[in-house]
Amino acid sequence: YLGTSVLTDSDSFQDVVVKIERSTYHKPFLGGFKNRITGVEFHNAGSQTIPKKRPDKGIQLFCRETQTVFEKNKPQQTKNTTSTQMTKIGLYVSNMTDKLISPGKYLTAEEYHKRRLEAVIVLQTYFRRWHAINVVQNLREEKRLRLAWEAQEELRRKKEKEEKLRREHERRLNPKTKDDFELLYHALESWRQEEAERINRTLTGAERKAAFCGLLEQEAQLIASIGRHKLNADEENQQKAILHFLNKCAQPKRWKAYDGKVTEMDTQYTVRARELFEIYRSISMNDIPKEERIDVLLTLRRTVKEHECKLTQEIVELIDREVDLMSKEVKECNLEGLRKRICTLFLQYIKTPKFNPEVARILKVPPDPLKLYKNVNLCHSCENYLPSTEFPVPANSCTIGRCHLCCKLDNEARRREASLKYKLILENLKKSEVDYHDDAKIVFLVQHQDLQYMIENIWGCQSALSACGDLYELVMVRWDKQREWSPWNTILLTKDEADAHLKLCNLQKAYEAAFIHRIKHKHIRAKNYFAQIPAMTSFLHRSDDQANAN
């Protein structure tokens, strides 16, 4: 406690008792100054109010806000109070830096918005001009790219056509396959018909007969030349077929796992087949050194000596004979016949399932003759019993007919037609149908003879849109891509037209009614032709049900 006297009146004083409480906590600093000489701090303000305490709950509490407090220091600049001093009597204020401001014309709200609208119109004008320039430039660039693409496509088509002609010319000069000889005979028949027409048009009487005799002799010479090419090609193809057959036997077992990886496994039979294949390829090679030839013959002798039979004894005798002749310096040209005999007998040895068990699953004639009884048919032309795979069976045929070889001979002797173009169209059609993944079946029942009849008699060997007559450029696609391909759901177009047709969503809007009617008429003709085939009856009913559902 502290006692002090307070002046109450002008002359009297009163003693007052002042109670001073000493704070038990540190007061916050709210501004002040410090005497540098004495070191005494003087605070500008302070609070003597004791802070209110929270009631004690008996347990210790921790607040999340106090544990994760975020502090931020930010300086604050106070305002600087300024004033303006005017010139008056006794005070001079310089006006050198003053700027004279005069009031302008007053703008109403309508005038203000009108001026803004005019400015906006100017901006829109320039923007639309810029946008139009960009659009024109883009169109010009697209036109340039389109013309370049068209020129490139035209060049590509020209190159493809030249390549096709060059390839066809090469196939005629060096025929190797059956299709090549078909093209060759077809070209021969075309030439003969042109020559016969020229003779009938220009010559009469004895001159005409003499010209026809000369034409017949030329035709016979050309046929003999084609026959010589055919013999050479058959020999070369036979050797390639043998190597392909032996390579197929030597391939390991393969299967695909669930993750797409292919696993290969060699068995004792595939290893044996690979050894025999390597020996045969070595024994059939020409122009190899004498020492290597002897090593190959000795290896072959050890291999065939593993089995004792008449065939192996004959092979061993021929090997000993060739080694003996080579030791006597006999010319290689005199050993060609002997070497061919060794290759032939060794190939017979390889094709024996007893010596090469892997070959049993690839031979056309199985070891058990009982398996042939159900699939063997008689060809009434050559009177040979052949498996069913050797007979062409068109969709409208009721009997087996002639075998492939007899049909080919008859074609070479009489009609000389080339079916390569139709085979290519059918092959492209099957590939496109497989890509749909909708379980299409009809296309795999149709053969190239049926497709040839459709193209020639129903579609006229030309595109339905552009009347293009080049069969190499034509393809058959679905008329309605939502339904599987069939002779009554197809259209003959060029490749570019087919790509554009398959992109259409609504055929009724894309084509005129007259064109659709013409296509439907062709479909009805095809349906009437294939309705005679019993195998097609179920597909006819199914297609009608699908059409009604659509």
Side-chain angles (χ1 to χ4, degrees):
Y1 294 93
L2 179 64
T4 181
S5 60
V6 179
L7 179 65
T8 58
D9 294 331
S10 59
D11 297 330
S12 62
F13 291 91
Q14 183 180 357
D15 294 332
V16 178
V17 179
V18 179
K19 183 179 178 182
I20 299 175
E21 293 183 1
R22 301 292 181 181
S23 60
T24 58
Y25 65 96
H26 180 70
K27 293 183 180 181
F29 176 71
L30 301 179
F33 61 93
K34 179 180 180 181
N35 193 336
R36 293 183 178 179
I37 299 175
T38 61
V40 179
E41 293 183 357
F42 298 92
H43 294 185
N44 287 345
S47 175
Q48 295 182 355
T49 304
I50 301 176
K52 185 179 179 180
K53 294 184 178 181
R54 293 182 180 180
D56 189 8
K57 296 182 180 180
I59 58 175
Q60 187 177 5
L61 299 179
F62 296 95
C63 181
R64 182 176 181 181
E65 284 73 8
T66 59
Q67 296 176 1
T68 59
V69 65
F70 177 75
E71 296 182 356
K72 182 177 180 182
N73 296 327
K74 183 178 180 182
Q76 183 68 29
Q77 181 66 32
T78 59
K79 295 182 179 179
N80 185 15
T81 304
T82 59
S83 61
T84 302
Q85 180 67 55
M86 306 298 293
T87 303
K88 67 177 182 176
I89 299 174
L91 177 63
Y92 171 77
V93 179
S94 176
N95 59 358
M96 297 298 293
T97 59
D98 292 351
K99 184 172 67 172
L100 182 63
I101 298 176
S102 60
K105 182 181 177 181
Y106 178 75
L107 288 177
T108 62
E110 294 181 356
E111 294 174 347
Y112 172 76
H113 289 295
K114 181 182 178 181
R115 189 171 68 176
R116 284 177 60 87
L117 180 61
E118 292 175 353
V120 168
I121 291 174
V122 172
L123 290 176
Q124 286 183 349
T125 302
Y126 282 98
F127 172 77
R128 289 173 180 175
R129 178 175 177 271
W130 171 81
H131 183 67
I133 291 174
N134 289 340
V135 170
V136 172
Q137 288 179 351
N138 291 336
L139 290 175
R140 188 181 291 112
E141 182 67 16
E142 290 179 1
K143 179 183 177 182
R144 186 187 66 81
L145 294 176
R146 175 70 182 183
L147 293 177
W149 178 81
E150 289 180 356
Q152 186 177 1
E153 285 294 312
E154 186 67 24
L155 183 62
R156 182 184 62 83
R157 292 193 189 97
K158 185 178 179 180
K159 287 184 178 180
E160 285 183 355
K161 190 172 183 179
E162 292 177 354
E163 180 66 19
K164 181 186 67 177
L165 293 176
R166 187 195 63 78
R167 191 165 55 248
E168 188 171 348
H169 183 67
E170 181 67 22
R171 295 176 74 171
R172 291 181 180 180
L173 288 178
N174 299 311
K176 295 180 180 180
T177 62
K178 296 178 181 179
D179 295 331
D180 296 346
F181 285 101
E182 276 189 3
L183 292 175
L184 206 56
Y185 278 109
H186 180 69
L188 174 64
E189 181 64 18
S190 301
W191 170 81
R192 189 193 66 79
Q193 291 178 359
E194 291 177 359
E195 291 295 319
E197 183 181 357
R198 182 184 61 81
I199 292 172
N200 288 328
R201 187 177 62 252
T202 57
L203 301 177
T204 57
E207 294 180 353
R208 177 174 173 274
K209 291 183 179 180
F212 271 116
C213 289
L215 177 63
L216 184 61
E217 291 180 359
Q218 290 181 6
E219 183 182 2
Q221 292 177 1
L222 291 175
I223 291 175
S225 176
I226 294 174
R228 288 191 294 270
H229 280 286
K230 197 171 184 180
L231 290 175
N232 296 332
D234 288 343
E235 184 178 357
E236 184 179 353
N237 292 335
Q238 183 181 7
Q239 188 64 23
K240 289 182 179 179
I242 291 172
L243 294 177
H244 177 72
F245 173 80
L246 297 179
N247 186 32
K248 191 175 180 181
C249 294
Q251 291 298 319
K253 307 292 183 180
R254 291 186 177 90
W255 63 88
K256 184 180 290 186
Y258 68 93
D259 56 354
K261 294 182 179 180
V262 178
T263 305
E264 297 183 356
M265 181 186 70
D266 277 321
T267 63
Q268 56 179 348
Y269 301 142
T270 57
V271 173
R272 170 71 175 178
R274 191 177 300 116
E275 293 176 357
L276 296 177
F277 172 51
E278 294 296 334
I279 295 175
Y280 180 83
R281 188 164 56 180
S282 301
I283 206 70
S284 60
M285 291 176 60
N286 297 324
D287 301 329
I288 61 175
K290 180 179 178 181
E291 293 77 8
E292 294 184 9
R293 177 71 184 180
I294 293 176
D295 292 340
V296 172
L297 290 175
L298 295 179
T299 304
L300 175 60
R301 193 176 189 279
R302 287 194 303 269
T303 302
V304 298
K305 282 288 286 183
E306 297 175 0
H307 303 87
E308 290 290 340
C309 64
K310 185 177 180 181
L311 177 63
T312 57
Q313 291 176 1
E314 189 172 355
I315 295 175
V316 170
E317 290 177 1
L318 294 177
I319 291 173
D320 294 339
R321 188 183 305 174
E322 182 179 355
V323 171
D324 183 46
L325 293 176
M326 290 176 64
S327 63
K328 294 179 180 179
E329 302 296 335
V330 178
K331 295 181 179 180
E332 291 189 0
C333 59
N334 297 328
L335 298 176
E336 290 182 0
L338 180 59
R339 291 177 177 178
K340 287 183 179 179
R341 287 184 63 191
I342 293 176
C343 287
T344 303
L345 292 178
F346 183 55
L347 180 62
Q348 184 179 352
Y349 174 87
I350 294 176
K351 288 185 177 181
T352 305
K354 181 180 178 181
F355 310 137
N356 186 15
E358 188 66 20
V359 82
R361 64 182 181 86
I362 302 178
L363 288 174
K364 289 185 178 181
V365 180
D368 187 7
L370 296 177
K371 295 182 180 180
L372 291 174
Y373 289 165
K374 295 181 180 181
N375 297 323
V376 172
N377 297 282
L378 173 64
C379 176
H380 296 282
S381 179
C382 60
E383 296 183 353
N384 290 328
Y385 286 94
L386 300 170
S388 57
T389 55
E390 298 296 327
F391 291 87
V393 185
N396 60 345
S397 65
C398 300
T399 59
I400 288 295
R402 294 176 298 182
C403 62
H404 283 293
L405 182 59
C406 294
C407 293
K408 184 171 71 68
L409 290 175
D410 181 71
N411 183 45
E412 293 175 357
R414 298 182 182 181
R415 301 186 305 273
R416 294 173 182 170
E417 295 177 352
S419 59
L420 176 62
K421 299 177 182 179
Y422 305 102
K423 290 179 180 178
L424 292 177
I425 295 177
L426 182 60
E427 183 180 354
N428 293 331
L429 176 60
K430 289 181 178 180
K431 289 180 180 178
S432 64
E433 286 299 304
V434 169
D435 294 337
Y436 280 105
H437 301 289
D438 58 353
D439 196 20
K441 298 179 180 178
I442 301 179
V443 67
F444 299 102
L445 296 177
V446 177
Q447 296 192 10
H448 74 272
Q449 295 93 339
D450 308 314
L451 195 71
Q452 181 176 354
Y453 174 84
M454 290 174 55
I455 293 175
E456 291 180 351
N457 298 280
I458 297 178
W459 295 95
C461 293
Q462 62 183 11
S463 170
L465 281 174
S466 60
C468 176
D470 188 4
L471 291 180
Y472 284 111
E473 297 292 331
L474 298 180
V475 293
M476 266 197 167
V477 294
R478 297 182 179 186
W479 167 252
D480 183 4
K481 62 182 179 181
Q482 303 299 330
R483 296 157 50 197
E484 70 169 306
W485 183 92
S486 61
W488 47 92
N489 182 36
T490 184
I491 184 172
L492 186 64
L493 300 170
T494 62
K495 296 177 181 178
D496 297 335
E497 294 169 354
D499 295 337
H501 172 78
L502 294 176
K503 295 178 181 178
L504 298 176
C505 298
N506 192 338
L507 300 176
Q508 308 299 329
K509 295 181 180 179
Y511 298 115
E512 295 181 352
F515 178 78
I516 296 176
H517 177 73
R518 188 163 66 249
I519 298 299
K520 293 295 183 183
H521 178 67
K522 296 180 183 295
H523 290 171
I524 292 173
R525 290 179 59 189
K527 187 178 292 187
N528 292 335
Y529 173 75
F530 284 94
Q532 307 170 6
I533 305 170
M536 289 288 183
T537 307
S538 60
F539 295 107
L540 279 168
H541 295 310
R542 191 174 70 176
S543 65
D544 292 338
D545 296 340
Q546 289 181 355
N548 296 331
N550 293 334

